Amino acid sequence: MFDLLGVSPQILFGQLLLGLINGSFYALLSLGLAVIFGMLNVINFAHGALYMVGAFLAWLLLTYLGIGYWWALFLAPAAVGLTGIVLEKSMLARLYKLDHLYGLLLTFGLALIFEGAFRHQYGVSGQPYPIPDALKGGQNLGFMFLPNYRGWVIGFSLLVCFGTWFAIERTKLGAYLRAATENPTLVQAFGINVPVMVSLTYGFGVALAGLAGVLAAPIYQVSPLMGSNLIIIVFAVVVIGGMGSILGAIVTGLGLGLLEGLTKVFYPEASNIVVFVIMAIVLLIKPAGLFGRER
């Protein structure tokens, strides 16, 4: 079979692994975007910058306080989430009754501020972040070598993604969130503090970006530009899956990561544009996205 394909199994499965890792980050980041847009109707262009902030917080905790990866996995997303709540309360809350464009422009400006501040302080060169000792090494699967840390990233990302989907789609809290987006006045009449719920939702969405940043830190170098290099692809993933669709963000992120990996094997020149080609095709056939609903 591999002779017919003209590639070795090591190359094919190696690229599929890379594609699955990229897809895990696409899914986690686009999930946060989908949660924020689906619940708040805000196009959060600061998502990539907050992903970068999460990675930098993990690096700063280790470099200056000696706090390692496992604590950073909790502390950095929590700090990013709190930052998101402050931003939502102080700025975004003023824009909910206005056109989506205002929220996009505000979050785009915030992204430039975050990126510029870190670039001024640390430059554009990347900072290395070590893999935790417990996840060093790898497993020989016979047809390929699987690094332990990359396997952990894939498994943990899937757990977070589908756990979030379950919480929003299958629990009472998720039902309150969905109802608050449709009729906040009615939900508030039942004694639920909708403004607090909205703030926590935005904080949770950006905390997912911070979590993705911590997971990415040992794989990619921690750099002020790491968010801007990824956010356009993530927005394309959200558009393909359907704006606001939780399941669409997860499935599309993973699927496009694998497709990108396959493209690098058989047609490397197209690997950087395959996601945008798919987006153009989907928008022509189904403008609401694969899992989106027509409004």
Side-chain angles (χ1 to χ4, degrees), residues 16-17 38 57 73 78 169 171 177 197 217 229 234 238 256 270 286:
L16 284 176
L17 174 63
L57 286 176
L73 206 58
E169 299 292 339
T171 67
L177 285 172
M197 183 181 291
N229 294 337
V234 173
V238 173
L256 289 176
K286 191 179 180 187

Side-chain angles (χ1 to χ4, degrees), residues 183-243:
N183 195 331
T185 305
L186 179 62
V187 173
Q188 196 147 3
F190 284 95
I192 297 171
N193 193 325
V194 173
V196 170
M197 183 181 291
V198 167
S199 298
L200 291 176
T201 300
Y202 185 81
F204 176 73
V206 299
L208 289 174
L211 176 63
V214 178
L215 292 174
I219 297 178
Y220 313 113
Q221 287 197 322
V222 179
S223 163
L225 301 178
M226 61 188 297
S228 58
N229 294 337
L230 193 60
I231 190 63
I232 301 301
I233 296 177
V234 173
F235 265 104
V237 170
V238 173
V239 171
I240 294 169
M243 293 293 288

Side-chain angles (χ1 to χ4, degrees), residues 116-186:
F118 278 89
R119 186 164 53 184
H120 173 75
Q121 184 67 31
Y122 301 103
V124 295
S125 59
Q127 308 290 341
Y129 188 89
I131 294 174
D133 292 337
L135 295 175
K136 288 181 178 177
Q139 307 296 323
N140 189 348
L141 303 181
F143 55 88
M144 66 172 291
F145 182 81
L146 175 63
N148 289 335
Y149 185 76
R150 283 160 172 75
W152 152 258
V153 167
I154 294 169
F156 186 65
S157 297
L158 290 175
L159 180 65
V160 172
C161 286
F162 285 104
T164 301
W165 170 82
F166 182 83
I168 292 176
E169 299 292 339
R170 296 289 185 269
T171 67
K172 184 179 289 187
L173 175 61
Y176 287 150
L177 285 172
R178 296 195 305 276
T181 63
E182 299 293 335
N183 195 331
T185 305
L186 179 62

Side-chain angles (χ1 to χ4, degrees), residues 29-47 50 84 87-89 91-108 110 181 198-199 201-202 205-206 235 238 243-244 295:
L29 284 165
S30 59
L31 173 63
L33 280 176
V35 167
I36 291 170
F37 184 81
M39 302 293 121
L40 279 66
N41 285 322
V42 172
I43 302 173
N44 185 38
F45 212 91
H47 215 64
L50 292 168
L87 293 175
E88 191 279 334
K89 281 290 187 186
M91 301 182 189
L92 284 171
R94 305 169 185 269
L95 305 179
Y96 289 146
K97 295 182 180 179
L98 302 178
D99 189 273
H100 294 323
L101 180 61
Y102 291 96
L104 188 150
L105 290 174
L106 173 63
T107 54
F108 179 69
L110 290 172
T181 63
V198 167
S199 298
T201 300
Y202 185 81
V206 299
F235 265 104
V238 173
M243 293 293 288
R295 300 202 175 193

